[in-house]
């Protein structure tokens, strides 16, 4: 057999080396390209929401600069005249909008905190917001779970949906907290 | 050098003045009111008097903007968001001034003065960057330059009438600048550079909006600049964290191109294969897997797939690169043509190996672009020759020809490195259904069948297997060739010692065979 | 082996690796709702 790097033994040596050397992995078996945050089955083109070569998710809609008349842009002087952002003054609909549209941003966390304050709870497994249906006490209640009718926020249809559900307390997220060292933003 | 006395102070005064005017409520729509007042001030200060003064003004302004950013970046107490807001407060104003000067220089129909000014300013910013990069070395920061380039590009690609007639020249100006700033020239700017050339507005302009695909060649050149920079680190397969991030970012960009512009990758795959190191298999597979969007690929695992019956298999792929030019020197090309035509001079075959060897390329003894071009040239000549006899490529029609003499001579005469590169050049043509895929698939199988030593068969298997065991995607032509090799008993594949040389290898073949059956 | 120029390239790449461009560097300044990236729970919707 070929006894240098250009035969089967050479390939085998490289494969075995890659099993131990993490630096080689990128090249030897290569990378699972479906894990790079691009929806390769998307019917739409990808480039128009491509965020960055280092980002593992596409742009959020609000990140994409679109050419609009300059009057539409919030000028730094108008900014001072606009009401400050106070989530406790907004309806649930807007809170859910801010939560779902600002992944990876402090706004998502702030919306989660405000929803928690209004007795919504985030189900970590089903990844939905849930709250008690008013006047509907749980039919079963133990110290680890309860069963009853609850309201879910159904994001796809963007409305509250009532559902029978067995609710395990440990699957609910505790009170979320805003990061202490908020990246202070002079414009906010 | 030799800035006229007082120019530095004048420039600082004017820049500060402009930044305040840009951010003032009276700036007006797109800062046009502020601009008309400010141009008056520039005149008053004599800045617009000569080309030389304008050049000095832009250089000094760029340096002042950059210095301001370095000071902000060195403020440890501030958060990244605050630092950026401070830097962009000035940089965005400076960009607006540049874009307004470009749009309003010369009368509205005079595109030459506009483009000349844009090229000048881009050249100045690039010059300041390269000098800064050299002086500050590992303290260099990409932030101010990245912001200037991307915001200027976005401003000059806004849908405005004054820009409509010069979009392509604007694109060309930016491509030239990015080529000047390619990673091998400014490695400290490489991440920002890849951000810039993969920005959605830039890709949109270069590959989608510009008519007749006039941006494709320039974009291919930028990708080649990037791959050439990564090449030494990829070839060594030893990627530091920083290089891995750049490599992964490159794969993301190539994936976007594979999904949105596969025809672009189809057209330029020849150039990319010349610069991608042979062991960088997944990136090369990604490019070779591209196929025209209007084409439907038959499942390569279809039992008894009749490849030569496919409608697309007789059509040659589009070739936009002049690979024939790669076959140098001219005397070698002349002997090659002569041999193809009349199998003379006979010495051509024995001289072949030395013609393919180079001494100046680090990491290899052969000229990969020359081997790739030779294989492609001989193959395309062979296809033409076979079609001229009213035949189509098959194991019988490709045999006993001057073309196959050359391929068989290369298979026999080259050393293991040369043969590996030669077989790679053939495997690089195994793509979507087209006449090249068909011919080179037959050629690889023919060389396997006619091999006079098992080493040739082993290396053919190695070249195919290493392309199959990496993560997806896998080119269609590669799959159908390998399936034929392991299924067709005439190749006697399973009886070779190298198939059973190690448990992992045997298992790999068996798993591929299972997915084939 | 990597030559001197390649090693210089790696050194410059390594240093710039520590101040990567952020996606918002390519976006207009948001005066009202600027990005404030912060780590959020993995089970929150990421897209």
């Amino acid at each position: 057999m070929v006894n240098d790097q250009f035969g089967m033994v050479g390939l085998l040596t490289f494969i075995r080396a890659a099993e131990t050397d993490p630096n080689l992995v990128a090249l030897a078996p290569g990378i699972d390209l479906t894990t790079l945050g691009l929806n390769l089955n998307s019917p739409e083109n990808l480039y128009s929401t491509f965020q960055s070569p280092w980002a593992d998710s596409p742009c959020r809609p609000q990140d994409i600069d679109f050419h609009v008349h300059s009057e539409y842009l919030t000028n730094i002087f108008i900014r001072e005249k606009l009401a400050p952002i106070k989530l406790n003054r907004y309806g649930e609909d807007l809170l859910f909008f801010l939560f779902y549209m600002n992944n990876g941003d402090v706004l998502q966390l702030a919306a989660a905190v405000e929803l928690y304050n209004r007795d919504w709870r985030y189900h970590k497994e089903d990844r939905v917001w849930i709250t008690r249906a008013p006047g509907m006490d749980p039919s079963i209640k133990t110290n680890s779970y309860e069963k009853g009718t609850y309201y879910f926020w159904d994001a796809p249809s963007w409305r509250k949906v009532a559902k029978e559900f067995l609710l395990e307390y440990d699957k609910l997220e505790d009170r979320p907290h805003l990061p202490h060292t908020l990246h202070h933003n002079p414009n906010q | 050098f030799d800035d006229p006395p007082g120019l530095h102070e004048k420039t600082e005064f004017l820049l500060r003045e402009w930044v305040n005017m840009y951010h003032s409520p009276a700036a007006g729509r797109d800062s046009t009111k502020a601009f008309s007042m400010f141009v008056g001030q520039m005149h008053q200060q004599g800045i617009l008097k000569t080309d030389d003064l304008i050049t000095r003004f832009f250089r000094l302004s760029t340096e002042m903007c950059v210095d301001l950013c370095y000071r902000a970046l060195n403020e440890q107490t501030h958060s990244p968001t605050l630092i950026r807001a401070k830097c962009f407060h000035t940089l965005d104003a400076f960009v607006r001034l540049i874009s307004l000067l470009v749009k309003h220089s010369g009368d509205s129909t005079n595109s030459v003065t506009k483009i000349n000014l844009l090229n000048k300013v881009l050249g100045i910013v690039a010059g300041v960057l390269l000098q800064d990069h050299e002086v500050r070395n590992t303290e260099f920061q990409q932030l101010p330059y990245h912001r200037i380039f991307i915001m200027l590009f976005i401003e000059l690609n806004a849908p405005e009438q004054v820009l409509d007639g010069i979009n392509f020249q604007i694109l060309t100006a930016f491509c030239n600048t990015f080529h000047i700033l390619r990673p091998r020239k400014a490695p400290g700017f490489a991440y920002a550079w890849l951000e810039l050339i993969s920005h959605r507005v830039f890709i949109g302009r270069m590959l989608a909006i510009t008519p007749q695909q006039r941006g494709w060649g320039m974009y291919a050149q930028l990708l080649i600049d990037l791959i050439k920079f990564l090449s030494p680190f990829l070839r060594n397969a030893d990627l530091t964290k920083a290089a891995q991030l750049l490599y992964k970012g490159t794969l993301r960009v190539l994936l976007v191109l594979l999904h949105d512009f596969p025809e672009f990758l189809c057209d330029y795959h020849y150039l990319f294969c010349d610069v991608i190191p042979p062991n960088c298999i997944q990136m090369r597979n990604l490019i070779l897997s591209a196929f025209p969007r209007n084409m439907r690929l038959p499942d390569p695992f279809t039992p008894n797939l009749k490849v030569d019956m496919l409608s697309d298999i007789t059509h040659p792929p589009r070739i936009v690169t002049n690979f024939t030019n790669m076959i140098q020197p001219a005397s070698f090309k002349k002997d090659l043509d002569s041999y193809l035509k009349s199998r003379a001079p006979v010495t051509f075959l024995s001289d072949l190996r030395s013609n393919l060897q180079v001494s100046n390329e680090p990491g290899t003894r052969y000229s990969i672009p020359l081997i790739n071009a030779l294989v492609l040239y001989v193959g395309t000549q062979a296809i033409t020759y076979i079609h001229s006899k009213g035949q189509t490529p098959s194991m019988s029609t490709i045999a006993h020809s001057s073309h196959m003499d050359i391929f068989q001579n290369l298979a026999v005469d080259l050393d293991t490195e040369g043969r590996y590169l030669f077989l790679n050049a053939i495997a690089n043509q195994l793509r979507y259904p087209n006449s090249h895929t068909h011919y080179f698939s037959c050629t690889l199988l023919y060389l396997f069948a006619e091999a006079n030593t098992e080493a040739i068969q082993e290396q053919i298997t190695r070249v195919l297997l290493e392309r199959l065991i990496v993560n997806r995607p896998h080119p269609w032509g590669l799959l159908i060739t390998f399936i034929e090799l392991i299924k067709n008993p005439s190749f006697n594949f399973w009886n070779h010692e190298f198939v059973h040389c190690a448990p992992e290898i045997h298992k790999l073949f068996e798993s591929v065979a299972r997915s084939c059956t | 082996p990597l030559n001197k120029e390649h090693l210089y390239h790696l050194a410059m790449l390594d240093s710039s690796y520590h101040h990567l461009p952020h996606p918002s560097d390519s976006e207009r300044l948001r005066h009202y709702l600027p990005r404030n990236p912060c780590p959020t729970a993995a089970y929150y919707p990421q897209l």
Side-chain angles (χ1 to χ4, degrees), chain A residues 2 4-8 16 24 27-31 36 40 42 44 46-47 50 52-55 71 77 185, chain B residues 23 29-30 81 159 191 195 198 200 204 234 237 239 249 252 259-260 282 416-417 458-459 462 470-471 502 504:
Chain A
V2 173
D4 63 18
Q5 57 178 318
F6 300 107
M8 292 302 282
R16 284 179 176 161
L24 292 183
L27 282 180
I31 294 167
L36 296 183
L40 300 174
S42 159
E44 309 293 319
L46 300 178
Y47 78 88
F50 187 60
S52 156
W54 342 114
E71 291 81 358
F77 287 86
N185 212 295
Chain B
H23 288 291
R29 178 191 180 80
D30 297 332
T81 313
Y191 292 112
E195 280 260 348
S198 66
R200 49 194 171 275
L234 295 171
L239 296 179
R252 269 199 184 91
H259 182 277
D260 295 355
Q282 186 177 35
T416 51
E417 176 179 359
E458 179 187 339
Q459 287 199 270
R462 150 71 193 258
V470 293
N471 272 304
E504 300 97 311

Side-chain angles (χ1 to χ4, degrees), chain B residues 8 12 24 43 47 80 125 184 186 235 256 292 347 374 391 427-428 444 462 472:
Chain B
H8 191 282
E12 186 164 10
S24 83
H43 271 303
I47 294 292
V125 176
R184 283 193 297 171
R235 189 175 53 232
V256 171
T347 54
L374 174 72
Q391 297 169 330
N428 289 348
L444 210 54
R462 150 71 193 258
R472 291 176 298 159

Side-chain angles (χ1 to χ4, degrees), chain A residues 25 47-48 52 56 75 79 99 104 106 128 130 143 170 177 187:
Chain A
V25 165
Y47 78 88
S48 47
S52 156
D56 49 18
N75 182 297
R79 163 83 191 84
F99 177 78
V106 78
V128 285
I130 176 173
N143 58 8
D170 62 352
H177 294 286
N187 307 304

Side-chain angles (χ1 to χ4, degrees), chain B residues 353-426:
Chain B
R353 179 206 292 223
S354 56
N355 275 304
L356 300 179
Q357 286 177 337
V358 287
S359 56
N360 60 349
E361 184 69 23
T364 179
R365 285 181 287 124
Y366 288 89
S367 162
I368 292 177
L370 177 54
I371 293 177
N372 289 342
L374 174 72
V375 163
L376 190 52
Y377 182 73
V378 172
T380 46
Q381 297 293 313
I383 294 168
T384 308
Y385 173 69
I386 291 168
H387 284 170
S388 70
K389 295 193 291 178
Q391 297 169 330
T392 56
S394 70
M395 294 298 273
S396 53
T397 58
I398 65 174
H400 315 307
S401 67
S402 57
H403 313 88
M404 194 47 76
D405 286 358
I406 291 175
F407 287 148
Q408 283 185 291
N409 177 276
L410 288 170
V412 169
D413 187 41
L414 286 171
D415 61 12
T416 51
E417 176 179 359
R419 188 186 298 133
Y420 173 76
L421 297 174
F422 158 62
L423 296 171
N424 258 313
I426 295 178

Side-chain angles (χ1 to χ4, degrees), chain B residues 116-175:
Chain B
N116 286 349
L117 180 57
L118 174 61
N119 275 307
K120 173 198 289 295
V121 175
L122 290 174
I124 289 165
V125 176
V128 171
L129 186 156
L130 288 171
Q131 190 191 37
D132 186 30
H133 185 275
E134 190 176 330
V135 168
R136 290 182 194 263
N137 209 315
T138 52
E139 297 307 310
F140 171 80
Q141 295 261 11
Q142 47 73 24
L143 185 127
Y145 307 100
H146 174 236
R147 184 72 177 184
I148 289 173
F149 285 127
I150 190 59
M151 295 319 276
L152 187 57
F153 184 79
I154 290 173
E155 290 230 2
L156 294 178
N157 278 282
E160 284 178 43
Q161 214 221 327
V162 71
L163 298 171
D164 285 349
I166 54 176
N167 279 134
F168 186 67
Q169 293 96 312
I170 288 171
L171 266 188
T172 306
F174 275 89
C175 283

Side-chain angles (χ1 to χ4, degrees), chain A residues 21-36:
Chain A
D21 180 342
N23 276 359
L24 292 183
V25 165
L27 282 180
I31 294 167
D32 177 353
L33 299 181
T34 60
T35 63
L36 296 183

Side-chain angles (χ1 to χ4, degrees), chain A residues 32-71:
Chain A
D32 177 353
L33 299 181
T34 60
T35 63
L36 296 183
L38 295 167
N39 175 5
L40 300 174
N41 298 318
S42 159
E44 309 293 319
N45 64 46
L46 300 178
Y47 78 88
S48 47
T49 58
F50 187 60
Q51 177 166 204
S52 156
W54 342 114
D56 49 18
S57 66
C59 284
R60 306 171 305 171
Q62 66 269 39
D63 298 337
I64 297 179
D65 282 329
F66 196 77
H67 186 77
V68 293
H69 298 309
S70 55
E71 291 81 358

Side-chain angles (χ1 to χ4, degrees), chain B residues 72 85 94 119 134 171 174 252-253 266 272 281 314 318 346 424 442 456 461 473:
Chain B
F94 181 48
N119 275 307
E134 190 176 330
L171 266 188
F174 275 89
R252 269 199 184 91
V253 175
C266 293
F272 297 137
I281 294 165
T314 56
R318 210 159 82 119
V346 180
N424 258 313
C442 294
I456 296 173
T461 307

